[in-house]
Amino acid sequence: MDASAAPGAIGRAAPPPAATTSRTAVPASSAAQAGAWIVLLGTAITTVGLSWDVQWHVEVGPDTFFTLSHLALYSGSALSGIASLAMVLLATSHQRAGHPLPRTVGGTPVRVFGGVFTAPLGYLVSGVGAASFLVYGLLDLAWHSIYGFDATLNTPSHVALFLSITLTMIGSFIVFAAARDERWGRAGLVLAIPILITFAPIPTNALSNLPIPIDPTVLGIILFSSMLLIIGRATLRRPGGAVVIASALGALQGFLWWFSPWAAETYARSSDLPLRDGLTPKPPEIPAAMPMFLIVAAVLVETLFWLARSRRLAPRNLMLLAGTVSGLIVAAGLPPQQNLTDPTSHISGTQTLLISFLGLPLGALAGYLGLRFATMLQALAPAPKVAS
């Protein structure tokens, strides 16, 4: 946090909290769990809503603003925003009463608006993301009113919405990372990271009009899935953590693979709307973009963490190596995944080699960034009691 910021600015660190009294420990723990899980539930509803909405556009076509999939999108963000606001008000109340919440409740407390509010960092981030989403939702409505309803992801209003949702998911990640010493905190991390892996590459659609040989979304999938996997493993500090995260991503992928087409077609029938003419058998868009071979990368990451403990490998070298290996595996796995699941896909061997090669620098970048983000996350709250 920037302690040198001008008075009244967002981002100045609050004074270190005093020791939590036993009178506030139990309510704080209950509130911490309730707030964290509700924020996570909101991001999960948003993810399901987006996958449903994209599938609707693929199979049915343009829609109106007021549809069930849009309702899921907006209600998820609203739920996360309300929970974040409630936690900020709770933290402010405790701060003013002289019983500040421990940093395990959302992370480092930050003074907002000159100290009027005290916001745990995770809830501040998730709340700002949710509020931005609702604002940009109005912009999206205005955009469609002017230019009509579209079925593309890279309009300005859509990209702004995706960035806002991603910010809320980052806040959820921070909230659970601050409570990583608690069992519920680790469980939440295992669920929050796959949701963020699913969503983080979507805003890269903003770059899809650039004249580059590779779809920027593919590059985003390689970078973000590798980075978040190793950040999650380093934050959990538990053997097998990477495999559990990749397995949770696989479960989410399986659910969305079934749910998205089913919901789109069922909703179309109930609305007496026909499906598009000439539909070809293709996998659902959002789950098809989730890296199936991340589980292989997770096993190798676990192996590297195990070797690092026995050979005392420096954390910087470990994260760089883990990121590079993960990037290579994810990149090399995307073309065969596409060819196996999509009958209309024919990615050539040359393209496969190019994407695999790009996995090396993107993975190294993921390792470089992953080390720094993992270090920041560990500074949110006292160090875990259990060593890696």
Side-chain angles (χ1 to χ4, degrees):
M1 294 300 96
D2 181 13
S4 64
I10 295 176
R12 190 177 61 177
T20 306
T21 64
S22 58
R23 187 169 63 86
T24 61
V26 172
S29 177
S30 301
Q33 293 190 47
W37 286 112
I38 294 174
V39 170
L40 178 64
L41 176 62
T43 63
I45 293 173
T46 298
T47 302
V48 172
L50 178 72
S51 184
W52 177 5
D53 190 54
V54 170
Q55 198 62 29
W56 171 274
H57 284 294
V58 170
E59 296 194 22
V60 182
D63 54 19
T64 65
F65 186 81
F66 301 98
T67 63
L68 284 182
S69 55
H70 285 177
L71 177 63
L73 270 168
Y74 283 89
S75 63
S77 283
L79 190 62
S80 295
I82 292 171
S84 300
L85 176 60
M87 292 306 296
V88 170
L89 295 177
L90 180 67
T92 302
S93 172
H94 277 248
Q95 183 80 23
R96 291 182 179 179
H99 305 292
L101 295 177
R103 294 192 176 191
T104 52
V105 184
T108 305
V110 179
R111 286 187 172 184
V112 181
F113 300 134
V116 175
F117 298 102
T118 298
L121 180 63
Y123 291 112
L124 176 62
V125 174
S126 61
V128 169
S132 301
F133 182 84
L134 297 179
V135 171
Y136 286 121
L138 296 177
L139 173 64
D140 189 50
L141 179 60
W143 176 276
H144 290 313
S145 300
I146 297 172
Y147 299 104
F149 288 95
D150 52 59
T152 61
L153 297 178
N154 61 345
T155 63
S157 58
H158 285 169
V159 172
L161 287 170
F162 297 148
L163 288 173
S164 300
I165 297 171
T166 304
L167 195 60
T168 299
M169 293 175 177
I170 292 173
S172 176
F173 188 176
I174 294 173
V175 166
F176 284 108
R180 66 193 182 279
D181 203 23
E182 305 288 340
R183 180 175 297 176
W184 66 266
R186 294 192 294 275
L189 264 180
V190 167
L191 298 176
I193 293 174
I195 290 175
L196 189 51
I197 289 176
T198 302
F199 214 96
I202 295 177
T204 58
N205 276 283
L207 308 176
S208 59
N209 289 332
L210 294 179
I212 55 178
I214 302 296
D215 184 346
T217 307
V218 172
L219 304 181
I221 293 169
I222 298 169
L223 174 63
F224 292 121
S225 61
S226 303
M227 184 177 71
L228 291 168
L229 179 69
I230 61 175
I231 292 176
R233 174 59 182 82
T235 305
L236 285 170
R237 299 169 68 89
R238 294 291 193 285
V243 174
V244 174
I245 290 171
S247 300
L249 180 74
L252 177 61
Q253 185 178 34
F255 171 74
L256 293 178
W257 202 292
W258 162 78
F259 175 80
S260 303
W262 173 82
E265 293 164 15
T266 301
Y267 188 37
R269 282 196 299 271
S270 67
S271 305
D272 294 327
L273 290 173
L275 300 182
R276 287 180 184 269
D277 294 331
L279 276 177
T280 56
K282 297 188 70 172
E285 295 272 337
I286 296 295
M290 298 162 69
M292 290 181 174
F293 290 89
L294 191 67
I295 187 67
V296 178
V299 172
L300 293 176
V301 167
E302 285 296 336
T303 304
L304 290 173
F305 270 76
W306 177 75
L307 290 174
R309 285 198 303 275
S310 60
R311 301 188 180 185
R312 298 184 181 281
L313 188 65
R316 182 182 62 181
N317 296 334
L318 169 62
M319 293 294 277
L320 276 175
L321 185 58
T324 304
V325 169
S326 181
L328 176 62
I329 297 299
V330 171
L334 287 177
Q337 171 182 332
Q338 186 71 15
N339 287 340
L340 287 171
T341 58
D342 185 354
T344 65
S345 174
H346 303 288
I347 300 177
S348 67
T350 303
Q351 287 178 305
T352 300
L353 286 175
L354 175 60
I355 295 173
S356 301
F357 174 77
L358 290 174
L360 293 172
L362 288 172
L365 178 61
Y368 176 83
L369 296 175
L371 174 63
R372 279 147 183 80
F373 287 136
T375 302
M376 286 190 281
L377 288 173
Q378 290 175 12
L380 292 172
K385 298 173 183 176
V386 180
S388 62

